[in-house]
Amino acid sequence: MFISTVLLLAQLTVAFAVPHNKRAEAFVNPTSAGGSYARRRGGSNPADLGEPLNVIISGLSSPDVLTDDGFLNFARAIGFSTECLGLHLGGPQSANLGDGNGYVNQTVELRQDYGDSVLGTCLESLIGGNHLRVFRQNGPSADTGALFLAVSKEENVAEGHTIVANGYNIGRDQLVTNATNGTPSFDGVKYSSTLEIQTGLLPAGSTGVNHGIATDGVTKVLTVTIL
């Protein structure tokens, strides 16, 4: 009896010692359950043109990175911040990530901050630059915690913030370069990111894409680790 009790306690100790702070999957393909890699402008109408969800922050990233506050800190480390004075023009965008939640509005929109995390996005609002929208895969069918980003480079305010030529590929690549170049940091937190390139998730070309701007069909997956 004594030996059995000791063995049971040992098993419990091992079980509780194993950290459960990592998701089991990087992400689940949204199209496998009726979702889409293209977000919709202002609603869930399938006839709406979409913009590509061209960057994924893997569910295998450090757990804090996948929270709202944690992702914001990471975004600031790679040159993005909240919108100018907290003001946002236009309605939220929606996406269906195939996780059982259907179409859900964006979690947040962030803009290039030009080196100033407080007021730099006001400059982006005027002259244009990179920006992103965040959608979280956390529904009952695919609770990976992965963050799907719609990243694109946009024109200045006089041009109505339309996307620049090749702006989806340019915006995606700029973000990934910032994330994988060394160990970016913000507010004392350092990050290291590894990159995986996925093809075949997004269709190449301009069919169904907002503004008729073609994409190369590449999705870039980042696994972000807090150092």
Side-chain angles (χ1 to χ4, degrees):
M1 180 67 179
F2 175 76
I3 294 177
S4 299
T5 303
V6 171
L7 289 174
L8 177 61
L9 290 174
Q11 290 171 350
L12 289 173
T13 300
V14 170
F16 283 109
V18 175
H20 297 283
N21 58 352
K22 287 280 189 177
R23 303 276 182 163
E25 294 181 278
F27 64 95
V28 171
N29 186 340
T31 62
S32 66
S36 172
Y37 276 95
R39 68 174 177 82
R40 301 298 176 188
R41 289 182 57 81
S44 59
N45 183 353
D48 291 342
L49 296 177
E51 296 188 1
L53 298 170
N54 48 13
V55 175
I56 300 173
I57 306 300
S58 163
L60 301 178
S61 300
S62 294
D64 283 351
V65 173
L66 303 176
T67 67
D68 290 349
D69 290 343
F71 177 75
L72 176 58
N73 199 79
F74 168 68
R76 284 173 167 159
I78 62 172
F80 294 84
S81 194
T82 51
E83 295 193 88
C84 177
L85 304 177
L87 301 176
H88 174 68
L89 298 178
Q93 308 293 303
S94 65
N96 182 350
L97 300 182
D99 59 1
N101 283 336
Y103 278 91
V104 176
N105 286 342
Q106 67 201 40
T107 299
V108 70
E109 180 173 355
L110 303 176
R111 297 183 182 277
Q112 186 175 347
D113 67 12
Y114 290 98
D116 184 340
S117 64
V118 178
L119 296 175
T121 56
C122 296
L123 180 60
E124 194 279 341
S125 294
L126 291 175
I127 69 173
N130 212 0
H131 78 306
L132 62 87
R133 300 173 193 264
V134 182
F135 303 86
R136 179 176 284 110
Q137 188 175 60
N138 64 350
S141 301
D143 186 14
T144 67
L147 304 177
F148 286 66
L149 313 183
V151 191
S152 57
K153 185 174 182 179
E154 61 183 7
E155 300 277 10
N156 60 41
V157 65
E159 298 293 332
H161 287 164
T162 56
I163 308 302
V164 305
N166 199 34
Y168 299 121
N169 295 338
I170 291 172
R172 174 202 64 201
D173 291 347
Q174 179 180 323
L175 181 150
V176 169
T177 296
N178 291 352
T180 56
N181 185 18
T183 54
S185 65
F186 187 84
D187 199 24
V189 183
K190 291 184 178 181
Y191 303 92
S192 175
S193 299
T194 58
L195 170 64
E196 179 184 354
I197 294 176
Q198 293 266 359
T199 58
L201 300 178
L202 282 168
S206 61
T207 301
V209 179
N210 194 37
H211 304 296
I213 298 173
T215 73
D216 57 12
V218 170
T219 305
K220 296 195 173 182
V221 182
L222 293 172
T223 301
V224 183
T225 301
I226 295 175
L227 300 177

